[in-house]
Amino acid sequence: MRDIKTIGGQTIGGVAIREARPGERHALLALVARIDAESDFLLREPGERPFWGRDLAAFQALGNSTIFVAETVGSRPAELVGYLSAHGGRFRRNRGAVTLAVGVRRDWNGRGVATALFAAAECWARRTGAHRLELTVAESNGRALSLYDRLGFLDEGLMRDALRVNGAWRSERLMGKLIGAEHVPEWPDLTPDPIVDAPPPARIGRLEIRPALPADAAAYLAYDRAVRSETHFLMRSAAESLPDVAAARRFLAEQRIGDRAATLLAVVDGTIAGSLSLWTGAYARTAHEAGLGLAVRRDFWASGVGGRLIAAADLWVRARRLHRLSLWVFGHNGRARRFYAKHGFREEAVARRHSLIDGRLTDHVAMAKLYGAAP
């Protein structure tokens, strides 16, 4: 691992930038805890661990994810004074998009540490084949916004009330920087006439919306494979479907643990026609938000299945007194964007050239719906 001690010819006094070592996980977590306690602009409350904290070696073994640290040199013992996490997408279509999060100790602010961390991360990302860097930042964090602007990140939209901090809602800006794949074509923006575009309404029998059960594993596996083979509008491709019935059973069992996640099925005459997954934020500052993933078999498009699933999502969110329901949709999926807008979702941000599908890049559009829950 090569230490980076200069940025643009300027020496970063007394600090070297390198990738974190798995054996220093505890020291790194102590640094994260200190920085979280010093600032309320970050994702976590003091005492909450980052998701990669349980197994740093496994996180880095993904091949498109790592942690960089800023370490003092010339002093004994050496100290960690800043870090940057780089988390690549989990699936084939979004592996080239890397999400960044940075933190620097207060006593080292203003000394070029964050700039050096970003330079190291960008060099690493280019080597790994990433084409996009992205991050979120509180709209009130003017200092960070200025830094990211200087580093070449562009404002891609405002995500309303994304965090709850000190009893108040806080909105965040999505910022992105394109670093590769300049010659890869894009999917066209599909905006055909909604009447011509829609298939004839399907005639369906009895429609039931109910929670998925582990006993549904075999039917759910067949559904998952079928729905992913019918369209390229889902993030996981057909090749990334659940591998077998046992995996499907484990997945469905996990959805029934606690009250913070659920998978609902739309069942028509005994056949799974669609599914809805819901999950709440992993940290205290995002616990007011639920994420949504929805899919419907092609044979049941324009039959009301999607609308019934959205209605069930509304009930689930309101029952838990949540404030925000959010989702992501591919930019060239015009029908889905119109569908969600019809059901009260607003487009908030556009992650440019985010996902690679069949040799073309497409935007990833963030949409959200707010509810009346107080902070």
Side-chain angles (χ1 to χ4, degrees), residues 244-315:
D244 51 39
V245 173
R249 186 177 296 110
R250 287 193 300 271
F251 168 76
L252 296 177
E254 290 168 358
Q255 302 306 295
R256 297 178 59 79
I257 298 175
D259 195 41
R260 310 301 290 182
T263 292
L264 305 180
L265 301 180
V267 181
V268 176
D269 295 333
T271 298
I272 300 177
S275 63
L276 170 75
S277 291
L278 295 157
W279 59 92
T280 56
Y283 300 107
R285 291 178 177 175
T286 59
H288 64 284
E289 176 178 15
L292 177 153
L294 185 151
V296 176
R297 288 289 308 273
R298 182 180 288 272
D299 287 346
F300 296 94
W301 287 5
S303 67
V305 170
R308 287 283 301 276
L309 287 168
I310 288 293
D314 274 333
L315 291 174

Side-chain angles (χ1 to χ4, degrees), residues 294-371:
L294 185 151
V296 176
R297 288 289 308 273
R298 182 180 288 272
D299 287 346
F300 296 94
W301 287 5
S303 67
V305 170
R308 287 283 301 276
L309 287 168
I310 288 293
D314 274 333
L315 291 174
W316 194 88
V317 168
R318 294 182 189 279
R320 287 153 184 79
R321 302 178 65 84
L322 302 179
H323 177 61
R324 177 179 161 90
L325 180 61
S326 64
L327 59 91
W328 290 87
V329 60
F330 288 136
H332 65 304
N333 190 352
R335 179 189 289 130
R337 292 169 71 174
R338 293 190 296 271
F339 168 81
Y340 291 123
K342 174 184 174 182
H343 288 278
F345 289 82
R346 182 193 299 180
E347 294 190 1
E348 294 185 329
V350 178
R352 299 162 298 138
R353 294 174 64 84
H354 181 276
S355 300
L356 183 65
I357 303 174
D358 298 338
R360 297 184 183 184
L361 286 166
T362 186
D363 296 340
H364 214 200
V365 180
M367 303 185 71
K369 181 177 182 179
L370 300 184
Y371 297 77

Side-chain angles (χ1 to χ4, degrees), residues 41-59:
F41 282 127
L42 302 177
L43 175 63
R44 295 173 300 275
E45 295 279 0
E48 293 182 325
R49 285 190 172 189
F51 69 92
W52 45 261
R54 285 179 292 182
D55 194 337
L56 179 57
F59 178 71

Side-chain angles (χ1 to χ4, degrees), residues 41 106 108-112 137-150:
F41 282 127
R106 181 178 293 167
W108 280 82
N109 281 343
R111 298 166 69 173
V137 55
E139 65 169 336
S140 57
N141 191 350
R143 184 173 183 175
L145 286 165
S146 296
L147 170 65
Y148 303 146
D149 180 68
R150 290 198 307 273

Side-chain angles (χ1 to χ4, degrees), residues 90-154:
R90 296 169 51 200
F91 305 112
R92 295 180 183 182
R93 289 173 173 168
N94 67 351
R95 278 190 64 83
V98 178
T99 301
L100 307 179
V102 67
V104 177
R105 271 176 31 182
R106 181 178 293 167
D107 56 339
W108 280 82
N109 281 343
R111 298 166 69 173
V113 174
T115 299
L117 286 164
F118 273 98
E122 183 170 334
C123 288
W124 164 86
R126 290 179 184 275
R127 291 198 306 271
T128 62
H131 67 270
R132 173 184 165 85
L133 304 176
E134 62 186 27
L135 53 84
T136 57
V137 55
E139 65 169 336
S140 57
N141 191 350
R143 184 173 183 175
L145 286 165
S146 296
L147 170 65
Y148 303 146
D149 180 68
R150 290 198 307 273
L151 294 176
F153 287 81
L154 300 183

